[in-house]
Amino acid sequence: MKSNQNIPLKSILKKLSVLRKPVLLILLLLCAYLLGYGIGYLTSDNFRTLPGSSSVQSASGGASSGNWGLSFQEEGQCPQGNASIEELAEYNAYYAQDTEEKVLYLTFDAGYENGNTETILNALKKHNVSATFFVVGTYIESEPELIQRMIDEGHTVGNHTWHHPNMSGIESMEEFKKELTAVEDAFRQTTGQEMTKYYRPPQGIYSESNLEMAKELGYQTFFWSLAYVDWYADDQPTKEEAFDKLLGRIHPGAIVLLHSTSSTNAEILDELLTKWEEMGYQVRPLSELVE
C-alpha cells in the first residue's frame, strides 16, 4: 500500500476544491427541500399525520390533485394556497376571502365527540358567533343532541363525508355521491331538516375532478387559510402555542379551521374570540362568504 505522507498540501487542497462545489450543491438542494416541506402548513382531522404540501398546479392553471397546503409570507396577510382564490372559485370552492375588511369565518371539524364541544358551543353563544361544524356521518348518529343544539343556536352543520376517506382516490360520481348523501340522510333523519350543502374534503386531500363533482352535486367546498396542530387528543398544544398561531396568523377574510376534539380550543375559545374582537375582527357565518 502506498503512503500518502509525501503528497503535497497543494495537491490535497486542489482535490478538495473539486469536491466542494457538488457537496455545496447537494447541501443547498437539501435545504431547499426541507424549507419547502416546512412551509406547507396543513391541518388535519383527528385521523391523520401532518404531511407537507404536495399539490401541483395543472397545466391549465387549475387546482390538481394533492393535499391542501399554505405558505405564510407575511404576518397579518392571507397565505398562498395550493390553488388561488380565483382558481377555486371556478368550482364554488374557497379557502379565504379576498378582502381588506377585518372579517373571519370560524369552522370546526368534528370526527368524534370527547367532551369538548359543549364548552365550545357555550363560548360561541356568549359571543353571539355563528360557526360551521363539518361532521362525519357517525358523529350525527352518536351525538344527535349536540347536532340539534348546533342548529338551534344558529350554527351550520357541514358535510365531512361518511367514512372520512381519501376522496381524491374516488373517481366515479356514484361512489363520491354516496359519501355525501349518506351524511345528508342521517342529518335529515336526526333533525327533520335538509343539510346545508357545505363540504370539506377529509384531510384536505382533493382532486380537480372531486371539486367538479362536488359542484355538480350543488356543494360549496371549503378549505382554510388558518389552522394549527390541535387534533392530537393526547398531545395538546399549550395556550401560548395556540395564541401564537391563531393571533399571529389571523388575517382579513380568513377561514379558520379548529377541531372540536381539542381541549385547548375549548379552554381558550372564549378568550380567543375576545382577543380577535379587540383586534377589530368580526366573525361571520360562511353564508356571507358565498353570497
Side-chain angles (χ1 to χ4, degrees):
M1 182 180 295
K2 293 183 179 180
S3 173
N4 292 327
Q5 291 179 355
N6 297 322
I7 297 176
L9 180 60
K10 283 186 177 181
S11 177
I12 295 174
L13 292 176
K14 185 176 180 180
K15 290 181 180 180
L16 289 175
S17 67
V18 173
L19 293 173
R20 188 186 308 161
K21 288 185 179 180
V23 171
L24 287 175
L25 179 59
I26 292 170
L27 289 174
L28 287 172
L29 289 174
L30 179 60
C31 289
Y33 172 80
L34 292 174
L35 179 61
Y37 186 89
I39 282 177
Y41 182 84
L42 292 177
T43 66
S44 102
D45 292 317
N46 307 293
F47 320 106
R48 72 185 148 158
T49 58
L50 184 68
S53 171
S54 62
S55 174
V56 295
Q57 299 300 318
S58 69
S60 63
S64 187
S65 300
N67 297 324
W68 182 248
L70 299 169
S71 173
F72 288 86
Q73 306 295 320
E74 186 178 346
E75 187 171 297
Q77 298 297 315
C78 183
Q80 295 179 1
N82 291 351
S84 69
I85 291 175
E86 293 75 21
E87 288 166 349
L88 289 177
E90 297 179 17
Y91 305 95
N92 293 339
Y94 310 84
Y95 86 94
Q97 182 181 19
D98 184 10
T99 181
E100 294 300 319
E101 187 179 5
K102 284 192 170 183
V103 297
L104 65 89
Y105 304 90
L106 185 56
T107 69
F108 293 87
D109 282 4
Y112 63 95
E113 179 55 39
N114 63 351
N116 293 303
T117 304
E118 185 174 355
T119 303
I120 288 171
L121 288 170
N122 290 343
L124 295 173
K125 184 176 182 179
K126 177 180 176 179
H127 290 263
N128 194 29
V129 165
S130 295
T132 298
F133 290 82
F134 288 96
V135 303
V136 297
T138 51
Y139 189 95
I140 298 175
E141 286 188 331
S142 63
E143 307 298 334
E145 292 182 359
L146 283 175
I147 293 292
Q148 191 61 55
R149 179 180 173 184
M150 292 171 189
I151 299 301
D152 292 344
E153 296 184 358
H155 305 297
T156 301
V157 176
N159 199 323
H160 205 33
T161 74
W162 187 269
H163 294 105
H164 199 270
N166 174 352
M167 295 293 279
S168 69
I170 297 178
E171 297 182 357
S172 73
M173 171 61 92
E174 181 181 2
E175 292 302 314
F176 185 90
K177 184 178 180 179
K178 281 181 181 178
E179 281 292 333
L180 299 183
T181 56
V183 181
E184 294 173 17
D185 293 343
F187 182 82
R188 187 184 307 109
Q189 293 168 8
T190 298
T191 67
Q193 302 179 33
E194 293 299 319
M195 192 173 208
T196 302
K197 291 201 170 185
Y198 291 170
Y199 162 62
R200 173 164 284 157
Q203 304 182 49
I205 302 176
Y206 69 100
S207 69
E208 199 167 0
S209 62
N210 285 171
L211 295 178
E212 183 61 43
M213 285 188 280
K215 180 181 178 181
E216 289 181 22
L217 293 173
Y219 273 88
Q220 315 272 354
T221 300
F222 294 93
F223 295 100
W224 56 88
S225 63
L226 175 59
Y228 77 120
V229 183
D230 63 348
W231 61 91
Y232 293 116
D234 57 351
D235 186 19
Q236 281 288 285
T238 65
K239 173 181 176 180
E240 292 73 23
E241 290 170 339
F243 280 151
D244 179 60
K245 292 292 192 299
L246 298 174
L247 298 179
R249 288 182 170 177
I250 194 63
H251 59 88
I255 296 178
V256 181
L257 164 60
L258 302 177
H259 285 85
S260 60
T261 53
S262 167
S263 58
T264 297
N265 290 340
E267 176 190 349
I268 71 169
L269 187 58
D270 182 10
E271 186 177 355
L272 176 64
L273 291 170
T274 298
K275 288 181 178 295
W276 276 339
E277 291 165 2
E278 291 171 350
M279 295 170 72
Y281 280 90
Q282 294 181 354
V283 184
R284 295 180 182 174
L286 284 178
S287 58
E288 293 193 20
L289 173 62
V290 302
E291 287 177 352

